[in-house]
């Protein structure tokens, strides 16, 4: 009887830890709601001002980028509010929604890169690639509490960026494509280090003293 009780208690602890991880992810979406459209607006300004070394990029492309990021932020805010309180029974469904949402956010940033990219413009290409690298690194750390969501953020965006660099013309794009696997490995290792800290913190928060 004692063994059964211990196993049941362990399973309950595991469920609480999994639920806490999911709640951490939902909480991290608040920064996404603010950061994504704000960064899109800053990019639009940087790429369209007269004499910009990163452009020139037309306003229609930049307007499409801002509208895209505003739409994704609105969807993120809606899901964050809808699942502000998650029960154990809802956890599998909410997890699927969070994975789909993260995939959408990652694709949204790759579409943003497509709109900003100008073939053969070295400064523009380096700028856009650095921007995407910062976004994927930030996403991997923000989602480090949940392995599947973190890998979705990294792999969807990295594979899509690899497609952009493959189809792009110019020597710099191909150089960056060759370095992409090393960067992805670095991001995953960095996120794994952050996840280890989460692993140490979450069980202590959810288990009774």
């Amino acid at each position: 009887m004692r063994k059964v009780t211990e196993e049941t208690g362990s399973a309950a602890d595991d469920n609480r830890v999994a639920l806490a991880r999911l709640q951490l992810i939902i909480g991290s979406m608040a920064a996404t709601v603010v950061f994504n459209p704000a960064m899109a607006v800053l990019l639009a300004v940087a790429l369209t001002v007269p004499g910009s070394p990163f452009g020139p990029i037309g306003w229609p492309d930049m307007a499409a980028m801002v509208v895209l990021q505003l739409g994704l932020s609105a969807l993120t805010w809606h899901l964050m509010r809808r699942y502000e309180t998650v029960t154990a029974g809802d956890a599998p469904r909410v997890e699927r929604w969070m994975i789909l949402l993260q995939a959408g956010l990652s694709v949204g940033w790759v579409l943003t890169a497509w709109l900003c990219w100008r073939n053969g413009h070295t400064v523009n290409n380096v700028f856009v690639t650095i921007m995407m690298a910062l976004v994927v690194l930030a996403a991997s750390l923000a989602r480090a509490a949940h392995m599947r969501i973190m890998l979705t953020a990294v792999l969807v965006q990295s594979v899509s960026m690899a497609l952009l660099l493959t189809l792009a013309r110019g020597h710099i794009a191909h150089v960056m494509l060759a370095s992409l696997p090393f960067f992805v490995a670095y991001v995953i290792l960095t996120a794994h280090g952050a996840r280890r800290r989460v692993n140490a913190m979450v069980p202590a928060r959810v288990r009774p003293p």
Side-chain angles (χ1 to χ4, degrees):
M1 178 65 69
R2 182 178 179 181
K3 182 178 180 181
V4 172
T5 303
E6 288 176 350
E7 289 177 351
T8 303
S10 178
D13 283 348
D14 289 344
N15 288 337
R16 285 195 292 267
V17 168
L19 189 59
R21 291 182 186 279
L22 194 56
Q23 289 169 336
L24 285 172
I25 294 299
I26 294 170
S28 74
M29 293 293 178
T32 299
V33 171
V34 176
F35 169 79
N36 286 11
M39 186 170 179
V41 171
L42 290 174
L43 283 172
V45 172
L47 292 166
T48 55
V49 293
S52 170
F54 310 116
I57 310 292
W59 273 108
D61 285 343
M62 295 299 93
M65 175 185 71
V66 172
V67 169
L68 171 65
Q69 293 298 338
L70 284 172
L72 288 170
S73 287
L75 176 62
T76 303
W77 181 84
H78 169 72
L79 291 175
M80 186 180 69
R81 293 297 301 272
R82 180 177 179 180
Y83 298 120
E84 189 171 2
T85 302
V86 184
T87 64
D90 292 334
R93 176 167 54 89
V94 176
E95 181 187 50
R96 288 192 293 271
W97 270 112
M98 290 299 107
I99 290 173
L100 288 173
L101 174 61
Q102 183 57 60
L105 291 170
S106 295
V107 170
W109 275 112
V110 174
L111 291 175
T112 294
W114 277 91
L115 290 169
C116 296
W117 188 274
R118 290 299 178 265
N119 274 320
H121 193 314
T122 301
V123 176
N124 169 275
N125 296 169
V126 172
F127 176 72
V128 172
T129 304
I130 291 174
M131 173 193 74
M132 292 297 291
L134 292 175
V135 168
V136 72
L137 180 59
S140 70
L141 294 176
R143 314 297 187 240
H146 196 291
M147 179 62 75
R148 284 188 290 274
I149 297 175
M150 185 273 287
L151 288 176
T152 299
V154 174
L155 296 180
V156 170
Q157 195 163 329
S158 298
V159 170
S160 301
M161 193 62 189
L163 178 62
L164 186 155
L165 293 172
T166 300
L167 297 177
R169 297 189 301 272
H171 176 70
I172 190 67
H174 299 151
V175 170
M176 291 179 175
L177 177 62
S179 65
L180 185 61
F182 300 99
F183 175 72
V184 171
Y186 166 77
V187 167
I188 291 175
L189 288 173
T190 302
H192 179 67
R195 180 178 168 79
R196 290 177 61 185
R197 292 180 179 271
V198 173
N199 289 344
M201 175 188 70
V202 171
R205 291 181 58 184
V206 301
R207 290 172 183 165

